[in-house]
Amino acid sequence: MSTSTTAAAPESLLASPDQLSQNEITAEIRHYHAAAEAREAAGEHVRATAHDFPPYRSSILRHPTKNLRLVDPETIELWSPAFGQRDVAAIEADLTLQHTGEPQGERITVQGRLLDSWGRPVANQLIEVWQANAAGRYIHQRDQHPAPLDPNFTGAGRMVTNDNGEYKFTTIKPGPYPWKNHVNAWRPAHIHFSVFGASFTQRIITQMYFPGDPLFALDPIYNSIHRQKDRDQLIGAYNHDLTVPEFSMGYEWDIVVDGPDATWFEPEGEH
Amino acid sequence: MPAPQKTHAGTPGQTIGPFFAFGLDYDKKHEAAFPHSPGAIVLGGIVYDGDGAPIPDAIVEIFGADSDGTVPRGRGSRRRDDHTFTGFGRSATTDEGGYEFWTRNPGAIDGKAPFFAVVVFARGLPDKLHTRIYLPENAELLAADPLLSSLTPEERATLVATRTPEGYLRHDIRLQGEKETVFLDF
């Protein structure tokens, strides 16, 4: 414990001291994917998302170095906090209605289902989303990207899944934005999702991306997932049937919350 | 009945990123228990990185049983009514790496050692981490706990909170380093 170490200002932490080029970072990404593939081919269980992924520079001091301890979940871990319509207002699912004017950008609706690993819908669970505006800027004092803030867009919303595990929200397509992981680093456009499942072991935070983004191969965060089929799971699908004439483009994205086999046995009551 | 084969691969997790505050913030999010209610205690500590530096952009979430060992089923963790104990709390770390909750001492469930279920998210942490915070009291229950009894004394110490003189709980979380917290997979 180092009482003499003080917290660095978060904005300075965003800058990496050893700024590599994109080509060097991309080569590192390929190297770590090949290494994970080899470990997997040798029979090792490799996590879908690496905790230790050096191309994402901020992970270097923030990933555990020991293997996660495999345990049987105890009772409290097999339940989830209870959410319901009392926790959110219906209007909170429309991120375009939070100000007096219309936000700038391409209006989209995103809908999908929250499922567990057996394909069962997970009802009454809180989903929180947050994102940059159409210009790639977050409403956050530490986001110093010189793109305009949109006075009519905050970029945070929330909803509770219905009885069929479905969610839906309306927003603006976020823009890509630069960050300081390496020289000329840009994040693909994405929406952050915070999701609860039927048990606390299923809690996840993840990101939904948009199909065909040219930045996918270059992004260390997207690539902290080593298998292509797992990365594909994070990409929303354009669905013309969800596109509303004269109004918005439609995307569909299902989220699967995984957990131990013990979660098959649902707690009594609720649901 | 054994669980049937899984049919759907889990969606992989991703980092919470640096700019989550405006998306995950809400009033009284760290008040799993109303601060002025009977039995309310503070559970807090600091989240450290591998250099021993406090992490100013992490989120810690807890879910715990009520003092009598019942699993809270009250809704309203996102819209507090100042009397329902929902067991769930969320705390974003301060510039000094500190997290803090108002909650209650969880009671034993089925006679087992009581603990808070904990999830940690942070910028630079590509996926969530699960851990537990055990109450320091009742040595017998702690000794019988399947997880704690499988750990070395040093590892075990990373999961058991310290009781302060005012009856609160103090517990640091280290993502990496010499006293790295034991993190869990289920």
Side-chain angles (χ1 to χ4, degrees), chain A:
Chain A
M1 175 156 159
S2 49
T3 45
S4 60
T5 314
T6 53
E11 51 272 33
S12 74
L13 288 169
L14 291 175
S16 168
D18 51 342
Q19 291 265 304
L20 293 188
S21 70
Q22 178 70 58
N23 282 344
E24 289 167 299
I25 287 289
T26 307
E28 275 192 27
I29 289 172
R30 292 201 181 112
H31 166 78
Y32 284 101
H33 284 182
E37 200 177 316
R39 285 164 56 205
E40 204 157 54
E44 191 180 329
H45 168 73
V46 183
R47 291 177 46 80
T49 306
H51 278 129
D52 176 11
F53 196 66
Y56 177 21
R57 285 295 187 260
S58 306
S59 75
I60 291 172
L61 286 172
R62 294 184 171 194
H63 72 271
T65 58
K66 294 172 182 151
N67 287 335
L68 303 185
R69 187 76 53 149
L70 189 64
V71 293
D72 288 329
E74 298 285 352
T75 305
I76 189 70
E77 292 159 327
L78 291 172
W79 294 73
S80 185
F83 294 103
Q85 284 304 334
R86 166 182 158 184
D87 288 283
V88 296
I91 199 173
E92 296 181 78
D94 193 333
L95 284 68
T96 69
L97 294 181
Q98 296 168 349
H99 300 271
T100 49
E102 282 285 317
Q104 296 285 325
E106 173 188 338
R107 196 189 287 106
I108 62 172
T109 53
V110 181
Q111 79 169 35
R113 290 176 305 159
L114 182 63
L115 303 169
D116 70 13
S117 352
W118 294 272
R120 299 176 300 177
V122 186
N124 295 322
Q125 286 307 327
L126 176 67
I127 296 183
E128 297 159 291
V129 295
W130 69 101
Q131 61 168 97
N133 69 23
R137 180 86 186 262
Y138 284 94
I139 299 248
H140 192 290
Q141 59 179 354
R142 288 168 187 157
D143 184 357
Q144 297 301 314
H145 174 30
L149 286 169
D150 184 339
N152 292 316
F153 190 71
T154 301
R158 53 206 70 87
M159 66 229 77
V160 172
T161 56
N162 68 14
D163 289 346
N164 299 317
E166 295 160 338
Y167 74 90
K168 181 176 188 172
F169 63 99
T170 302
T171 184
I172 295 292
K173 188 177 178 186
Y177 59 84
W179 60 311
K180 293 174 179 166
N181 187 70
H182 54 277
V183 176
N184 204 13
W186 290 78
R187 300 253 23 240
H190 62 275
I191 299 175
H192 295 265
F193 275 68
S194 154
V195 175
F196 292 78
S199 82
F200 206 54
T201 59
Q202 297 176 321
R203 176 89 176 89
I204 65 163
I205 285 179
T206 187
Q207 302 177 21
M208 187 201 93
Y209 298 87
F210 293 86
D213 198 310
L215 295 167
F216 283 153
L218 310 179
D219 178 39
I221 291 179
Y222 170 76
N223 284 290
S224 61
I225 300 161
H226 71 93
R227 294 184 211 104
Q228 183 64 52
K229 69 177 168 68
D230 287 336
R231 293 196 295 273
D232 288 346
Q233 271 189 273
L234 297 192
I235 303 170
Y238 174 70
N239 183 340
H240 200 62
D241 291 333
L242 289 181
T243 291
V244 181
E246 322 293 328
F247 184 73
S248 71
M249 306 287 274
Y251 289 90
E252 193 155 8
W253 189 53
D254 290 345
I255 306 161
V256 180
V257 284
D258 202 359
D261 280 358
T263 57
W264 170 259
F265 302 95
E266 290 191 332
E268 287 168 31
E270 291 293 324
H271 306 285

Side-chain angles (χ1 to χ4, degrees), chain B residues 59-73:
Chain B
I59 276 193
V60 179
E61 290 180 349
I62 58 164
F63 186 47
D66 207 340
S67 304
D68 62 359
T70 55
V71 176
R73 301 316 293 153

Side-chain angles (χ1 to χ4, degrees), chain B residues 3 6 9 14 16 25 54 109 112 124-125 127 135 145 159 182:
Chain B
K6 291 180 177 181
Q14 291 264 270
I16 195 170
D25 193 27
I109 302 177
K112 293 178 175 168
L125 182 59
D127 196 6
L135 303 193
D145 183 82
L159 297 182
V182 171

Side-chain angles (χ1 to χ4, degrees), chain B residues 144-168:
Chain B
D145 183 82
L147 170 61
L148 291 184
S149 55
S150 75
L151 302 177
T152 65
E154 293 75 26
E155 291 172 329
R156 189 185 140 119
T158 72
L159 297 182
V160 182
T162 306
R163 187 71 68 180
T164 68
E166 58 270 55
Y168 293 174

